[in-house]
mmCIF file of all heavy atoms in Angstrom:
data_model
loop_
_atom_site.group_PDB
_atom_site.id
_atom_site.type_symbol
_atom_site.label_atom_id
_atom_site.label_comp_id
_atom_site.label_asym_id
_atom_site.label_seq_id
_atom_site.Cartn_x
_atom_site.Cartn_y
_atom_site.Cartn_z
ATOM 1 N N PRO X 64 -25.528 17.335 0.104
ATOM 2 C CA PRO X 64 -25.839 17.378 -1.336
ATOM 3 C C PRO X 64 -27.164 16.696 -1.625
ATOM 4 O O PRO X 64 -27.507 15.682 -1.020
ATOM 5 C CB PRO X 64 -24.661 16.619 -1.970
ATOM 6 C CG PRO X 64 -23.551 16.721 -0.969
ATOM 7 C CD PRO X 64 -24.215 16.711 0.368
ATOM 8 N N ARG X 65 -27.907 17.247 -2.592
ATOM 9 C CA ARG X 65 -29.225 16.714 -2.925
ATOM 10 C C ARG X 65 -29.261 16.089 -4.317
ATOM 11 O O ARG X 65 -30.315 15.680 -4.794
ATOM 12 C CB ARG X 65 -30.273 17.825 -2.825
ATOM 13 C CG ARG X 65 -30.325 18.452 -1.433
ATOM 14 C CD ARG X 65 -31.404 19.522 -1.340
ATOM 15 N NE ARG X 65 -31.379 20.166 -0.026
ATOM 16 C CZ ARG X 65 -31.966 19.674 1.057
ATOM 17 N NH1 ARG X 65 -32.620 18.524 0.984
ATOM 18 N NH2 ARG X 65 -31.903 20.319 2.211
ATOM 19 N N SER X 66 -28.114 16.019 -4.977
ATOM 20 C CA SER X 66 -28.070 15.432 -6.317
ATOM 21 C C SER X 66 -26.731 14.733 -6.507
ATOM 22 O O SER X 66 -25.785 14.959 -5.757
ATOM 23 C CB SER X 66 -28.276 16.498 -7.391
ATOM 24 O OG SER X 66 -27.207 17.438 -7.360
ATOM 25 N N PHE X 67 -26.658 13.897 -7.540
ATOM 26 C CA PHE X 67 -25.434 13.191 -7.876
ATOM 27 C C PHE X 67 -24.673 13.957 -8.951
ATOM 28 O O PHE X 67 -25.264 14.420 -9.933
ATOM 29 C CB PHE X 67 -25.733 11.778 -8.371
ATOM 30 C CG PHE X 67 -26.214 10.839 -7.297
ATOM 31 C CD1 PHE X 67 -27.549 10.506 -7.219
ATOM 32 C CD2 PHE X 67 -25.333 10.309 -6.379
ATOM 33 C CE1 PHE X 67 -28.002 9.643 -6.236
ATOM 34 C CE2 PHE X 67 -25.768 9.449 -5.391
ATOM 35 C CZ PHE X 67 -27.110 9.108 -5.316
ATOM 36 N N ASP X 68 -23.374 14.055 -8.764
ATOM 37 C CA ASP X 68 -22.500 14.686 -9.761
ATOM 38 C C ASP X 68 -22.075 13.620 -10.763
ATOM 39 O O ASP X 68 -20.977 13.067 -10.681
ATOM 40 C CB ASP X 68 -21.297 15.311 -9.050
ATOM 41 C CG ASP X 68 -20.315 15.961 -10.004
ATOM 42 O OD1 ASP X 68 -20.692 16.185 -11.176
ATOM 43 O OD2 ASP X 68 -19.170 16.229 -9.585
ATOM 44 N N ILE X 69 -22.959 13.337 -11.711
ATOM 45 C CA ILE X 69 -22.704 12.254 -12.662
ATOM 46 C C ILE X 69 -21.430 12.490 -13.474
ATOM 47 O O ILE X 69 -20.587 11.589 -13.597
ATOM 48 C CB ILE X 69 -23.916 12.044 -13.588
ATOM 49 C CG1 ILE X 69 -25.165 11.705 -12.760
ATOM 50 C CG2 ILE X 69 -23.628 10.939 -14.595
ATOM 51 C CD1 ILE X 69 -25.035 10.449 -11.945
ATOM 52 N N PRO X 70 -21.233 13.700 -14.076
ATOM 53 C CA PRO X 70 -19.972 13.917 -14.815
ATOM 54 C C PRO X 70 -18.744 13.733 -13.935
ATOM 55 O O PRO X 70 -17.732 13.183 -14.376
ATOM 56 C CB PRO X 70 -20.102 15.366 -15.296
ATOM 57 C CG PRO X 70 -21.571 15.617 -15.365
ATOM 58 C CD PRO X 70 -22.138 14.862 -14.200
ATOM 59 N N GLY X 71 -18.820 14.175 -12.679
ATOM 60 C CA GLY X 71 -17.688 13.999 -11.783
ATOM 61 C C GLY X 71 -17.406 12.536 -11.502
ATOM 62 O O GLY X 71 -16.251 12.107 -11.441
ATOM 63 N N ILE X 72 -18.482 11.749 -11.321
ATOM 64 C CA ILE X 72 -18.315 10.314 -11.088
ATOM 65 C C ILE X 72 -17.636 9.657 -12.279
ATOM 66 O O ILE X 72 -16.706 8.856 -12.129
ATOM 67 C CB ILE X 72 -19.682 9.660 -10.813
ATOM 68 C CG1 ILE X 72 -20.257 10.171 -9.492
ATOM 69 C CG2 ILE X 72 -19.565 8.136 -10.795
ATOM 70 C CD1 ILE X 72 -21.677 9.714 -9.228
ATOM 71 N N VAL X 73 -18.073 10.001 -13.484
ATOM 72 C CA VAL X 73 -17.515 9.405 -14.696
ATOM 73 C C VAL X 73 -16.045 9.797 -14.854
ATOM 74 O O VAL X 73 -15.179 8.953 -15.140
ATOM 75 C CB VAL X 73 -18.335 9.832 -15.930
ATOM 76 C CG1 VAL X 73 -17.649 9.367 -17.211
ATOM 77 C CG2 VAL X 73 -19.744 9.261 -15.851
ATOM 78 N N LEU X 74 -15.739 11.080 -14.659
ATOM 79 C CA LEU X 74 -14.367 11.550 -14.849
ATOM 80 C C LEU X 74 -13.413 10.951 -13.814
ATOM 81 O O LEU X 74 -12.321 10.490 -14.162
ATOM 82 C CB LEU X 74 -14.330 13.074 -14.764
ATOM 83 C CG LEU X 74 -14.943 13.830 -15.946
ATOM 84 C CD1 LEU X 74 -15.105 15.305 -15.616
ATOM 85 C CD2 LEU X 74 -14.071 13.659 -17.194
ATOM 86 N N LEU X 75 -13.830 10.942 -12.550
ATOM 87 C CA LEU X 75 -12.949 10.409 -11.519
ATOM 88 C C LEU X 75 -12.775 8.899 -11.669
ATOM 89 O O LEU X 75 -11.668 8.374 -11.500
ATOM 90 C CB LEU X 75 -13.505 10.741 -10.136
ATOM 91 C CG LEU X 75 -12.629 10.318 -8.949
ATOM 92 C CD1 LEU X 75 -11.250 10.949 -9.038
ATOM 93 C CD2 LEU X 75 -13.290 10.669 -7.627
ATOM 94 N N SER X 76 -13.860 8.202 -12.004
ATOM 95 C CA SER X 76 -13.756 6.754 -12.213
ATOM 96 C C SER X 76 -12.821 6.442 -13.373
ATOM 97 O O SER X 76 -11.991 5.535 -13.294
ATOM 98 C CB SER X 76 -15.143 6.155 -12.474
ATOM 99 O OG SER X 76 -15.998 6.358 -11.379
ATOM 100 N N GLY X 77 -12.959 7.200 -14.457
ATOM 101 C CA GLY X 77 -12.084 6.988 -15.603
ATOM 102 C C GLY X 77 -10.635 7.280 -15.276
ATOM 103 O O GLY X 77 -9.725 6.532 -15.679
ATOM 104 N N ALA X 78 -10.390 8.350 -14.518
ATOM 105 C CA ALA X 78 -9.019 8.700 -14.145
ATOM 106 C C ALA X 78 -8.403 7.623 -13.254
ATOM 107 O O ALA X 78 -7.259 7.210 -13.455
ATOM 108 C CB ALA X 78 -9.008 10.053 -13.435
ATOM 109 N N MET X 79 -9.168 7.163 -12.275
ATOM 110 C CA MET X 79 -8.652 6.134 -11.360
ATOM 111 C C MET X 79 -8.403 4.822 -12.095
ATOM 112 O O MET X 79 -7.401 4.153 -11.862
ATOM 113 C CB MET X 79 -9.638 5.919 -10.217
ATOM 114 C CG MET X 79 -9.782 7.117 -9.290
ATOM 115 S SD MET X 79 -8.298 7.427 -8.316
ATOM 116 C CE MET X 79 -8.385 6.071 -7.167
ATOM 117 N N PHE X 80 -9.328 4.460 -12.999
ATOM 118 C CA PHE X 80 -9.133 3.218 -13.753
ATOM 119 C C PHE X 80 -7.858 3.291 -14.586
ATOM 120 O O PHE X 80 -7.039 2.360 -14.573
ATOM 121 C CB PHE X 80 -10.328 2.952 -14.665
ATOM 122 C CG PHE X 80 -10.102 1.803 -15.612
ATOM 123 C CD1 PHE X 80 -10.266 0.502 -15.195
ATOM 124 C CD2 PHE X 80 -9.705 2.034 -16.927
ATOM 125 C CE1 PHE X 80 -10.042 -0.557 -16.064
ATOM 126 C CE2 PHE X 80 -9.481 0.981 -17.803
ATOM 127 C CZ PHE X 80 -9.649 -0.318 -17.363
ATOM 128 N N CYS X 81 -7.683 4.371 -15.339
ATOM 129 C CA CYS X 81 -6.508 4.492 -16.207
ATOM 130 C C CYS X 81 -5.222 4.491 -15.389
ATOM 131 O O CYS X 81 -4.221 3.863 -15.785
ATOM 132 C CB CYS X 81 -6.601 5.763 -17.048
ATOM 133 S SG CYS X 81 -7.906 5.731 -18.304
ATOM 134 N N LEU X 82 -5.225 5.180 -14.240
ATOM 135 C CA LEU X 82 -4.026 5.236 -13.412
ATOM 136 C C LEU X 82 -3.683 3.864 -12.844
ATOM 137 O O LEU X 82 -2.546 3.394 -12.965
ATOM 138 C CB LEU X 82 -4.234 6.241 -12.279
ATOM 139 C CG LEU X 82 -3.101 6.326 -11.248
ATOM 140 C CD1 LEU X 82 -1.805 6.771 -11.908
ATOM 141 C CD2 LEU X 82 -3.483 7.267 -10.109
ATOM 142 N N ILE X 83 -4.673 3.212 -12.222
ATOM 143 C CA ILE X 83 -4.409 1.908 -11.607
ATOM 144 C C ILE X 83 -4.045 0.874 -12.665
ATOM 145 O O ILE X 83 -3.144 0.047 -12.465
ATOM 146 C CB ILE X 83 -5.631 1.439 -10.797
ATOM 147 C CG1 ILE X 83 -5.947 2.454 -9.690
ATOM 148 C CG2 ILE X 83 -5.386 0.066 -10.193
ATOM 149 C CD1 ILE X 83 -4.826 2.684 -8.721
ATOM 150 N N TRP X 84 -4.723 0.914 -13.810
ATOM 151 C CA TRP X 84 -4.428 -0.043 -14.883
ATOM 152 C C TRP X 84 -2.992 0.127 -15.374
ATOM 153 O O TRP X 84 -2.280 -0.857 -15.606
ATOM 154 C CB TRP X 84 -5.417 0.126 -16.024
ATOM 155 C CG TRP X 84 -5.281 -0.889 -17.121
ATOM 156 C CD1 TRP X 84 -4.756 -0.706 -18.363
ATOM 157 C CD2 TRP X 84 -5.679 -2.270 -17.074
ATOM 158 N NE1 TRP X 84 -4.796 -1.871 -19.092
ATOM 159 C CE2 TRP X 84 -5.360 -2.840 -18.323
ATOM 160 C CE3 TRP X 84 -6.279 -3.060 -16.095
ATOM 161 C CZ2 TRP X 84 -5.621 -4.179 -18.610
ATOM 162 C CZ3 TRP X 84 -6.538 -4.387 -16.392
ATOM 163 C CH2 TRP X 84 -6.210 -4.928 -17.635
ATOM 164 N N ALA X 85 -2.561 1.375 -15.534
ATOM 165 C CA ALA X 85 -1.189 1.621 -15.981
ATOM 166 C C ALA X 85 -0.182 1.117 -14.956
ATOM 167 O O ALA X 85 0.837 0.516 -15.311
ATOM 168 C CB ALA X 85 -0.984 3.114 -16.241
ATOM 169 N N LEU X 86 -0.461 1.355 -13.671
ATOM 170 C CA LEU X 86 0.457 0.918 -12.621
ATOM 171 C C LEU X 86 0.549 -0.604 -12.566
ATOM 172 O O LEU X 86 1.628 -1.165 -12.362
ATOM 173 C CB LEU X 86 0.002 1.463 -11.268
ATOM 174 C CG LEU X 86 0.054 2.980 -11.092
ATOM 175 C CD1 LEU X 86 -0.503 3.376 -9.732
ATOM 176 C CD2 LEU X 86 1.466 3.502 -11.258
ATOM 177 N N ILE X 87 -0.589 -1.268 -12.744
ATOM 178 C CA ILE X 87 -0.604 -2.726 -12.677
ATOM 179 C C ILE X 87 0.103 -3.347 -13.877
ATOM 180 O O ILE X 87 0.895 -4.284 -13.749
ATOM 181 C CB ILE X 87 -2.055 -3.241 -12.583
ATOM 182 C CG1 ILE X 87 -2.674 -2.856 -11.229
ATOM 183 C CG2 ILE X 87 -2.109 -4.756 -12.758
ATOM 184 C CD1 ILE X 87 -4.138 -3.190 -11.121
ATOM 185 N N LYS X 88 -0.170 -2.815 -15.062
ATOM 186 C CA LYS X 88 0.354 -3.421 -16.289
ATOM 187 C C LYS X 88 1.777 -2.980 -16.621
ATOM 188 O O LYS X 88 2.408 -3.574 -17.489
ATOM 189 C CB LYS X 88 -0.558 -3.068 -17.468
ATOM 190 C CG LYS X 88 -1.991 -3.584 -17.326
ATOM 191 C CD LYS X 88 -2.048 -5.096 -17.243
ATOM 192 C CE LYS X 88 -1.720 -5.747 -18.563
ATOM 193 N NZ LYS X 88 -1.885 -7.225 -18.503
ATOM 194 N N ALA X 89 2.273 -1.946 -15.930
ATOM 195 C CA ALA X 89 3.614 -1.453 -16.259
ATOM 196 C C ALA X 89 4.679 -2.522 -16.056
ATOM 197 O O ALA X 89 5.701 -2.521 -16.756
ATOM 198 C CB ALA X 89 3.935 -0.216 -15.428
ATOM 199 N N ALA X 90 4.461 -3.422 -15.120
ATOM 200 C CA ALA X 90 5.450 -4.486 -14.890
ATOM 201 C C ALA X 90 5.595 -5.375 -16.114
ATOM 202 O O ALA X 90 6.691 -5.875 -16.401
ATOM 203 C CB ALA X 90 5.041 -5.312 -13.678
ATOM 204 N N ASP X 91 4.500 -5.589 -16.853
ATOM 205 C CA ASP X 91 4.551 -6.409 -18.063
ATOM 206 C C ASP X 91 4.867 -5.583 -19.303
ATOM 207 O O ASP X 91 5.612 -6.019 -20.177
ATOM 208 C CB ASP X 91 3.212 -7.138 -18.262
ATOM 209 C CG ASP X 91 2.902 -8.099 -17.124
ATOM 210 O OD1 ASP X 91 3.851 -8.702 -16.592
ATOM 211 O OD2 ASP X 91 1.717 -8.232 -16.770
ATOM 212 N N TRP X 92 4.275 -4.402 -19.378
ATOM 213 C CA TRP X 92 4.464 -3.566 -20.567
ATOM 214 C C TRP X 92 5.768 -2.771 -20.526
ATOM 215 O O TRP X 92 6.270 -2.350 -21.557
ATOM 216 C CB TRP X 92 3.304 -2.576 -20.695
ATOM 217 C CG TRP X 92 1.983 -3.208 -21.020
ATOM 218 C CD1 TRP X 92 1.762 -4.477 -21.451
ATOM 219 C CD2 TRP X 92 0.692 -2.584 -20.935
ATOM 220 N NE1 TRP X 92 0.422 -4.692 -21.639
ATOM 221 C CE2 TRP X 92 -0.266 -3.543 -21.339
ATOM 222 C CE3 TRP X 92 0.238 -1.322 -20.569
ATOM 223 C CZ2 TRP X 92 -1.627 -3.276 -21.386
ATOM 224 C CZ3 TRP X 92 -1.114 -1.044 -20.603
ATOM 225 C CH2 TRP X 92 -2.035 -2.015 -21.014
ATOM 226 N N HIS X 93 6.288 -2.487 -19.318
ATOM 227 C CA HIS X 93 7.419 -1.600 -19.057
ATOM 228 C C HIS X 93 6.956 -0.139 -19.075
ATOM 229 O O HIS X 93 5.997 0.219 -19.744
ATOM 230 C CB HIS X 93 8.573 -1.830 -20.043
ATOM 231 C CG HIS X 93 9.058 -3.255 -20.066
ATOM 232 N ND1 HIS X 93 9.637 -3.861 -18.963
ATOM 233 C CD2 HIS X 93 9.036 -4.202 -21.049
ATOM 234 C CE1 HIS X 93 9.959 -5.106 -19.274
ATOM 235 N NE2 HIS X 93 9.599 -5.345 -20.511
ATOM 236 N N TRP X 94 7.673 0.682 -18.303
ATOM 237 C CA TRP X 94 7.232 2.060 -18.083
ATOM 238 C C TRP X 94 7.348 2.919 -19.331
ATOM 239 O O TRP X 94 6.614 3.892 -19.486
ATOM 240 C CB TRP X 94 8.038 2.673 -16.939
ATOM 241 C CG TRP X 94 7.636 2.103 -15.619
ATOM 242 C CD1 TRP X 94 8.266 1.118 -14.920
ATOM 243 C CD2 TRP X 94 6.484 2.451 -14.848
ATOM 244 N NE1 TRP X 94 7.580 0.823 -13.763
ATOM 245 C CE2 TRP X 94 6.482 1.640 -13.686
ATOM 246 C CE3 TRP X 94 5.455 3.384 -15.021
ATOM 247 C CZ2 TRP X 94 5.500 1.738 -12.710
ATOM 248 C CZ3 TRP X 94 4.475 3.471 -14.048
ATOM 249 C CH2 TRP X 94 4.503 2.662 -12.905
#
Side-chain angles (χ1 to χ4, degrees):
R65 302 182 184 277
S66 64
F67 289 104
D68 179 15
I69 301 299
I72 294 173
V73 172
L74 288 168
L75 184 58
S76 299
M79 294 292 287
F80 172 81
C81 291
L82 175 62
I83 300 301
W84 185 254
L86 294 177
I87 292 174
K88 299 299 289 185
D91 298 325
W92 292 347
H93 304 296
W94 288 99

